[in-house]
Amino acid sequence: LGKYELEEYEWALVKQLCDILKDATLYFSCSTPNLEMVIPAMDHIDSVFTNGIIKRDTLEPAIRSALGLAKRTLNRYYLLTDSSKVYRIAMVLHPHHKLSYFKSTGWEEEWIETAETLVRTEY
């Protein structure tokens, strides 16, 4: 078993990964994810990945590279939310979010108008 023991460098990589993924892990472990939380959760994870990629002085190159790949994968799934109107409708109808989430996170005005139009058309 000793040959499988992590070396100091590997423990440093594990710690960096834990620091990066801790918030998302706690979020999804402590609450029941639901539809209106998908986009805010993806936005938060994207922000954490972006900040991690930028931290050249504190994160190992392997971690930054892995974050780049993870960010690309996350963005592919994020784009898939555009093909379904239910994500935007769920957020607009949610009492906490409404259209304010889109505005506060800097969505383009055209996208915000599309989200509002989707809700008005459906309901």
Side-chain angles (χ1 to χ4, degrees):
L1 284 179
K3 68 180 181 179
Y4 298 112
E5 185 177 0
L6 294 179
E7 296 180 16
E8 289 299 317
Y9 173 76
E10 294 167 318
W11 279 113
L13 291 176
V14 169
K15 179 172 179 355
Q16 288 179 7
L17 279 175
C18 286
D19 291 344
I20 291 166
L21 299 175
K22 178 181 67 175
D23 289 340
T25 302
L26 289 174
Y27 173 78
F28 288 111
S29 298
C30 295
S31 65
T32 305
N34 45 39
L35 200 54
E36 84 275 348
M37 291 308 297
V38 170
I39 291 175
M42 290 177 97
D43 284 344
H44 177 72
I45 293 168
D46 184 65
S47 173
V48 170
F49 286 177
T50 300
N51 291 336
I53 292 168
I54 293 171
K55 293 181 179 177
R56 294 185 180 275
D57 55 332
T58 57
L59 293 178
E60 294 291 329
I63 299 296
R64 290 195 324 270
S65 178
L67 288 175
L69 292 170
K71 186 171 168 49
R72 251 186 279 156
T73 302
L74 179 68
N75 287 340
R76 196 170 358 148
Y77 285 106
Y78 198 102
L79 287 173
L80 289 174
T81 64
D82 284 345
S83 62
S84 174
K85 42 188 166 175
V86 295
Y87 293 101
R88 288 171 282 179
I89 290 173
M91 289 187 62
V92 173
L93 293 178
H94 190 276
H96 177 73
H97 295 301
K98 301 191 180 193
L99 290 174
S100 65
Y101 178 82
F102 300 118
K103 293 174 183 173
S104 67
T105 54
W107 281 43
E108 293 179 20
E109 192 59 37
E110 181 182 338
W111 295 352
I112 296 169
E113 290 170 6
T114 300
E116 184 175 11
T117 301
L118 284 172
V119 173
R120 290 187 187 281
T121 301
E122 289 295 319
Y123 301 99

